[in-house]
Amino acid sequence: MEVSRLKIVVFGSYHAGKSTFIQAVDPASRHVDTKCGDGTTTVALDYGKVMIHDHLTIHLFGTPGQERFEFARRIIMQGMDAALLLVDCTCAVDDFTRSLYHDLLESNIPLGLLVNKCDVTESCPAMVRRELPGSSYIYEVSAKDPSSAREALGRFVEDITKTLQHSS
Ligand SMILES: Nc1nc2c(ncn2[C@@H]2O[C@H](COP(=O)(O)OP(=O)(O)O)[C@@H](O)[C@H]2O)c(=O)[nH]1
Ligand SMILES: [Mg+2]
């Protein structure tokens, strides 16, 4: 089966760099703050689109990073082909990131770990690798740098399309 489009959902804690990453790969991406419920709560969402290898369209959906927005994540996740988890490697891995990681690993959807903010002098990618073991796809990035973000996305897509084609 020839894959022509992929829906990739971007997860991560608040401040991990999800919006920065999507903005870096698609400068025309949209960031939306949506009011929900009684209007006092806002959910932040991102959407970007990028073409890879002239035939593969990647639709990137950023999820809200706060734990309480589980309902929004569930909706955005529907029909996803793959997931990316952004992890800030300048600070300790938080419990929310840990639980997202384990839930996604168990879901059997291809999961890429984007170890982010590697440009920061005191960053520690090895700590993230140690704290979140078991992922087949790990990329050290600086989401602020468009070439780093695009390269990691391109490598992830290449890696998973090989796997998807093998299993179809
Ligand atoms: N130094 C550095 N800062 C980053 C990087 N990625 C994101 N940031 C910063 O981290 C903060 C949170 O990023 P944002 O994309 O809003 O996080 P989100 O809450 O996951 O969407 C912002 O101030 C970004 O400029 C990175 O790779 N390096
Ligand atoms: Mg954001």
Side-chain angles (χ1 to χ4, degrees), residues 13-20 22 31 33 44-46 62-66:
S13 280
Y14 174 69
H15 227 250
K18 301 176 295 296
S19 300
T20 306
I22 293 173
H31 175 85
D33 286 313
L45 309 167
D46 302 275
T63 53
Q66 293 91 339

Side-chain angles (χ1 to χ4, degrees), residues 87-93 115-131 140:
V87 185
D88 181 345
C89 71
T90 65
C91 55
V93 177
V115 182
N116 191 30
K117 307 195 187 181
C118 290
D119 59 292
V120 177
T121 324
E122 58 273 22
S123 66
C124 190
M127 177 268 297
V128 173
R129 287 173 182 268
R130 197 171 54 239
E131 293 286 313
E140 295 181 8

Side-chain angles (χ1 to χ4, degrees), residues 89-102:
C89 71
T90 65
C91 55
V93 177
D94 59 277
D95 290 343
F96 178 52
T97 299
R98 233 179 267 280
S99 87
L100 276 173
Y101 180 66
H102 292 295

